[in-house]
Short mmCIF file of all heavy atoms in Angstrom, two decimals:
data_model
loop_
_atom_site.label_atom_id
_atom_site.label_comp_id
_atom_site.label_asym_id
_atom_site.label_seq_id
_atom_site.Cartn_x
_atom_site.Cartn_y
_atom_site.Cartn_z
N GLY A 25 0.82 -1.21 0.00
CA GLY A 25 0.00 0.00 0.00
C GLY A 25 0.85 1.26 0.00
O GLY A 25 1.92 1.32 -0.60
N ARG A 26 0.38 2.30 0.69
CA ARG A 26 1.15 3.54 0.81
C ARG A 26 2.25 3.30 1.82
O ARG A 26 1.99 3.03 2.98
CB ARG A 26 0.24 4.69 1.25
CG ARG A 26 0.90 6.05 1.11
CD ARG A 26 -0.06 7.19 1.37
NE ARG A 26 -1.14 7.24 0.40
CZ ARG A 26 -1.04 7.71 -0.84
NH1 ARG A 26 0.12 8.17 -1.26
NH2 ARG A 26 -2.07 7.71 -1.65
N LEU A 27 3.48 3.42 1.37
CA LEU A 27 4.61 2.99 2.19
C LEU A 27 5.07 4.10 3.13
O LEU A 27 4.91 5.28 2.85
CB LEU A 27 5.76 2.54 1.30
CG LEU A 27 5.42 1.39 0.34
CD1 LEU A 27 6.65 1.00 -0.47
CD2 LEU A 27 4.87 0.19 1.08
N SER A 28 5.69 3.67 4.22
CA SER A 28 6.17 4.59 5.25
C SER A 28 7.68 4.44 5.41
O SER A 28 8.32 3.63 4.73
CB SER A 28 5.50 4.27 6.59
OG SER A 28 5.97 3.03 7.08
N MET A 29 8.23 5.19 6.33
CA MET A 29 9.66 5.07 6.61
C MET A 29 10.04 3.68 7.10
O MET A 29 11.21 3.29 7.04
CB MET A 29 10.08 6.10 7.66
CG MET A 29 9.97 7.54 7.22
SD MET A 29 10.49 8.64 8.56
CE MET A 29 9.96 10.22 7.91
N TRP A 30 9.05 2.93 7.59
CA TRP A 30 9.35 1.59 8.12
C TRP A 30 9.72 0.61 7.02
O TRP A 30 10.20 -0.48 7.32
CB TRP A 30 8.19 1.06 8.95
CG TRP A 30 8.65 -0.07 9.84
CD1 TRP A 30 8.28 -1.37 9.78
CD2 TRP A 30 9.58 0.04 10.92
NE1 TRP A 30 8.93 -2.10 10.74
CE2 TRP A 30 9.74 -1.25 11.46
CE3 TRP A 30 10.32 1.08 11.47
CZ2 TRP A 30 10.59 -1.52 12.53
CZ3 TRP A 30 11.17 0.82 12.54
CH2 TRP A 30 11.29 -0.47 13.05
N LYS A 31 9.57 0.98 5.77
CA LYS A 31 10.08 0.13 4.69
C LYS A 31 11.58 -0.10 4.90
O LYS A 31 12.08 -1.21 4.71
CB LYS A 31 9.84 0.78 3.33
CG LYS A 31 10.30 -0.06 2.15
CD LYS A 31 10.13 0.67 0.84
CE LYS A 31 11.20 1.72 0.67
NZ LYS A 31 11.18 2.36 -0.68
N ALA A 32 12.30 0.94 5.30
CA ALA A 32 13.71 0.80 5.63
C ALA A 32 13.92 0.38 7.08
O ALA A 32 14.93 -0.22 7.42
CB ALA A 32 14.45 2.11 5.36
N GLY A 33 12.93 0.69 7.92
CA GLY A 33 13.07 0.37 9.34
C GLY A 33 13.00 -1.12 9.63
O GLY A 33 13.66 -1.60 10.56
N ALA A 34 12.22 -1.86 8.84
CA ALA A 34 12.07 -3.30 9.11
C ALA A 34 13.40 -4.04 9.01
O ALA A 34 13.77 -4.78 9.94
CB ALA A 34 11.02 -3.90 8.18
N PRO A 35 14.17 -3.90 7.92
CA PRO A 35 15.47 -4.58 7.90
C PRO A 35 16.45 -4.01 8.91
O PRO A 35 17.33 -4.75 9.41
CB PRO A 35 15.96 -4.38 6.46
CG PRO A 35 15.19 -3.22 5.93
CD PRO A 35 13.87 -3.27 6.62
N ALA A 36 16.34 -2.72 9.23
CA ALA A 36 17.24 -2.15 10.23
C ALA A 36 16.99 -2.77 11.60
O ALA A 36 17.94 -3.11 12.33
CB ALA A 36 17.05 -0.63 10.28
N GLN A 37 15.72 -2.92 11.97
CA GLN A 37 15.43 -3.56 13.24
C GLN A 37 15.88 -5.01 13.22
O GLN A 37 16.35 -5.55 14.24
CB GLN A 37 13.95 -3.48 13.57
CG GLN A 37 13.61 -4.14 14.90
CD GLN A 37 12.22 -3.81 15.38
OE1 GLN A 37 11.88 -2.66 15.59
NE2 GLN A 37 11.40 -4.83 15.57
N ALA A 38 15.73 -5.67 12.07
CA ALA A 38 16.18 -7.06 11.95
C ALA A 38 17.69 -7.15 12.16
O ALA A 38 18.18 -8.07 12.82
CB ALA A 38 15.79 -7.61 10.58
N ALA A 39 18.43 -6.21 11.58
CA ALA A 39 19.88 -6.21 11.77
C ALA A 39 20.24 -6.01 13.24
O ALA A 39 21.14 -6.67 13.78
CB ALA A 39 20.52 -5.12 10.91
N GLN A 40 19.54 -5.09 13.88
CA GLN A 40 19.77 -4.86 15.31
C GLN A 40 19.52 -6.14 16.11
O GLN A 40 20.33 -6.52 16.98
CB GLN A 40 18.83 -3.74 15.78
CG GLN A 40 19.00 -3.34 17.24
CD GLN A 40 18.05 -2.20 17.61
OE1 GLN A 40 16.90 -2.17 17.16
NE2 GLN A 40 18.51 -1.25 18.39
N ALA A 41 18.43 -6.82 15.78
CA ALA A 41 18.09 -8.05 16.50
C ALA A 41 19.11 -9.16 16.23
O ALA A 41 19.41 -9.96 17.12
CB ALA A 41 16.69 -8.51 16.09
N GLY A 42 19.63 -9.21 15.00
CA GLY A 42 20.62 -10.23 14.69
C GLY A 42 21.90 -10.06 15.47
O GLY A 42 22.48 -11.04 15.97
N VAL A 43 22.38 -8.81 15.59
CA VAL A 43 23.57 -8.55 16.39
C VAL A 43 23.30 -8.89 17.85
O VAL A 43 24.13 -9.52 18.53
CB VAL A 43 24.01 -7.08 16.25
CG1 VAL A 43 25.14 -6.75 17.23
CG2 VAL A 43 24.46 -6.79 14.82
N GLN A 44 22.14 -8.52 18.35
CA GLN A 44 21.81 -8.82 19.74
C GLN A 44 21.77 -10.33 19.98
O GLN A 44 22.28 -10.82 21.00
CB GLN A 44 20.46 -8.21 20.11
CG GLN A 44 20.02 -8.53 21.53
CD GLN A 44 18.75 -7.79 21.90
OE1 GLN A 44 18.79 -6.60 22.16
NE2 GLN A 44 17.64 -8.50 21.92
N ALA A 45 21.21 -11.08 19.04
CA ALA A 45 21.14 -12.53 19.20
C ALA A 45 22.54 -13.13 19.29
O ALA A 45 22.80 -14.01 20.13
CB ALA A 45 20.36 -13.15 18.04
N ALA A 46 23.45 -12.68 18.43
CA ALA A 46 24.81 -13.22 18.47
C ALA A 46 25.51 -12.86 19.77
O ALA A 46 26.22 -13.69 20.36
CB ALA A 46 25.60 -12.69 17.27
N ARG A 47 25.33 -11.64 20.23
CA ARG A 47 26.00 -11.24 21.48
C ARG A 47 25.38 -11.94 22.69
O ARG A 47 26.10 -12.28 23.64
CB ARG A 47 25.92 -9.72 21.63
CG ARG A 47 26.64 -8.98 20.49
CD ARG A 47 27.50 -7.87 20.96
NE ARG A 47 26.77 -6.85 21.68
CZ ARG A 47 27.28 -6.14 22.68
NH1 ARG A 47 28.53 -6.35 23.08
NH2 ARG A 47 26.56 -5.21 23.28
N LEU A 48 24.09 -12.20 22.65
CA LEU A 48 23.48 -12.97 23.72
C LEU A 48 24.01 -14.41 23.73
O LEU A 48 24.30 -14.97 24.79
CB LEU A 48 21.95 -12.98 23.56
CG LEU A 48 21.22 -11.68 23.93
CD1 LEU A 48 19.76 -11.76 23.49
CD2 LEU A 48 21.31 -11.42 25.43
N ALA A 49 24.12 -14.99 22.55
CA ALA A 49 24.65 -16.35 22.47
C ALA A 49 26.09 -16.40 22.97
O ALA A 49 26.49 -17.35 23.66
CB ALA A 49 24.56 -16.86 21.04
N GLN A 50 26.87 -15.38 22.64
CA GLN A 50 28.24 -15.31 23.12
C GLN A 50 28.27 -15.29 24.65
O GLN A 50 29.16 -15.90 25.27
CB GLN A 50 28.92 -14.06 22.57
CG GLN A 50 30.38 -13.91 22.97
CD GLN A 50 30.98 -12.62 22.46
OE1 GLN A 50 30.31 -11.57 22.45
NE2 GLN A 50 32.23 -12.65 22.03
N ALA A 51 27.30 -14.63 25.26
CA ALA A 51 27.25 -14.53 26.72
C ALA A 51 26.64 -15.77 27.38
O ALA A 51 26.61 -15.85 28.61
CB ALA A 51 26.46 -13.30 27.12
N GLY A 52 26.13 -16.73 26.58
CA GLY A 52 25.60 -17.96 27.15
C GLY A 52 24.11 -18.15 27.03
O GLY A 52 23.57 -19.17 27.46
N MET A 53 23.38 -17.19 26.41
CA MET A 53 21.95 -17.34 26.22
C MET A 53 21.68 -18.45 25.22
O MET A 53 22.37 -18.58 24.22
CB MET A 53 21.34 -16.03 25.71
CG MET A 53 19.82 -16.06 25.56
SD MET A 53 18.96 -15.94 27.13
CE MET A 53 19.18 -14.20 27.52
N THR A 54 20.67 -19.27 25.50
CA THR A 54 20.31 -20.35 24.58
C THR A 54 19.00 -20.03 23.87
O THR A 54 18.17 -19.27 24.36
CB THR A 54 20.16 -21.69 25.33
OG1 THR A 54 19.08 -21.58 26.27
CG2 THR A 54 21.44 -22.07 26.05
N GLY A 55 18.86 -20.61 22.68
CA GLY A 55 17.65 -20.45 21.89
C GLY A 55 16.94 -21.79 21.70
O GLY A 55 17.48 -22.84 22.07
N PRO A 56 15.75 -21.78 21.13
CA PRO A 56 15.00 -23.03 20.91
C PRO A 56 15.80 -24.02 20.06
O PRO A 56 16.55 -23.63 19.17
CB PRO A 56 13.74 -22.56 20.18
CG PRO A 56 13.60 -21.13 20.55
CD PRO A 56 14.99 -20.60 20.69
N GLU A 57 15.59 -25.31 20.34
CA GLU A 57 16.35 -26.35 19.64
C GLU A 57 15.94 -26.51 18.19
O GLU A 57 16.75 -26.93 17.36
CB GLU A 57 16.17 -27.69 20.35
CG GLU A 57 16.81 -27.78 21.71
CD GLU A 57 16.64 -29.14 22.33
OE1 GLU A 57 15.48 -29.60 22.44
OE2 GLU A 57 17.65 -29.76 22.68
N ALA A 58 14.69 -26.21 17.87
CA ALA A 58 14.20 -26.46 16.51
C ALA A 58 13.37 -25.28 16.02
O ALA A 58 12.15 -25.39 15.86
CB ALA A 58 13.40 -27.75 16.47
N PRO A 59 13.99 -24.14 15.76
CA PRO A 59 13.23 -22.94 15.37
C PRO A 59 12.56 -23.08 14.01
O PRO A 59 11.53 -22.45 13.76
CB PRO A 59 14.29 -21.84 15.34
CG PRO A 59 15.57 -22.56 15.06
CD PRO A 59 15.44 -23.86 15.78
N PHE A 60 13.12 -23.89 13.13
CA PHE A 60 12.56 -24.05 11.80
C PHE A 60 11.55 -25.19 11.74
O PHE A 60 10.43 -25.01 11.25
CB PHE A 60 13.67 -24.27 10.77
CG PHE A 60 14.61 -23.10 10.63
CD1 PHE A 60 15.86 -23.13 11.22
CD2 PHE A 60 14.23 -21.97 9.91
CE1 PHE A 60 16.73 -22.05 11.11
CE2 PHE A 60 15.10 -20.89 9.79
CZ PHE A 60 16.35 -20.93 10.40
N THR A 61 11.93 -26.35 12.23
CA THR A 61 11.12 -27.55 12.00
C THR A 61 10.41 -28.06 13.23
O THR A 61 9.66 -29.04 13.14
CB THR A 61 12.02 -28.67 11.44
OG1 THR A 61 13.07 -28.95 12.37
CG2 THR A 61 12.63 -28.25 10.11
N GLY A 62 10.59 -27.44 14.39
CA GLY A 62 9.92 -27.91 15.59
C GLY A 62 8.45 -27.55 15.61
O GLY A 62 7.95 -26.78 14.78
N GLU A 63 7.73 -28.10 16.58
CA GLU A 63 6.30 -27.79 16.73
C GLU A 63 6.14 -26.28 17.00
O GLU A 63 6.76 -25.73 17.90
CB GLU A 63 5.72 -28.58 17.89
CG GLU A 63 4.23 -28.36 18.09
CD GLU A 63 3.66 -29.17 19.24
OE1 GLU A 63 4.40 -29.99 19.82
OE2 GLU A 63 2.46 -28.99 19.56
N GLY A 64 5.32 -25.63 16.18
CA GLY A 64 5.16 -24.20 16.31
C GLY A 64 6.30 -23.40 15.71
O GLY A 64 6.39 -22.20 15.94
N GLY A 65 7.17 -24.06 14.95
CA GLY A 65 8.31 -23.37 14.35
C GLY A 65 7.96 -22.71 13.04
O GLY A 65 6.79 -22.68 12.60
#
């Protein structure tokens, strides 16, 4: 539809979240075992 600034914001937030996920994992945070193929994945 009529696009907003969030057209660029969506990948930017995704990039922010990706860096955070890696730094959390580095610190010992764990994620789900089957994010793609598990139940509800």
Side-chain angles (χ1 to χ4, degrees):
R26 192 172 297 283
L27 302 182
S28 69
M29 294 180 191
W30 198 245
K31 183 185 75 173
Q37 180 167 301
Q40 183 179 39
V43 172
Q44 178 174 285
R47 298 225 300 147
L48 286 170
Q50 182 184 38
M53 183 76 75
T54 63
E57 291 182 305
F60 296 102
T61 59
E63 182 179 355

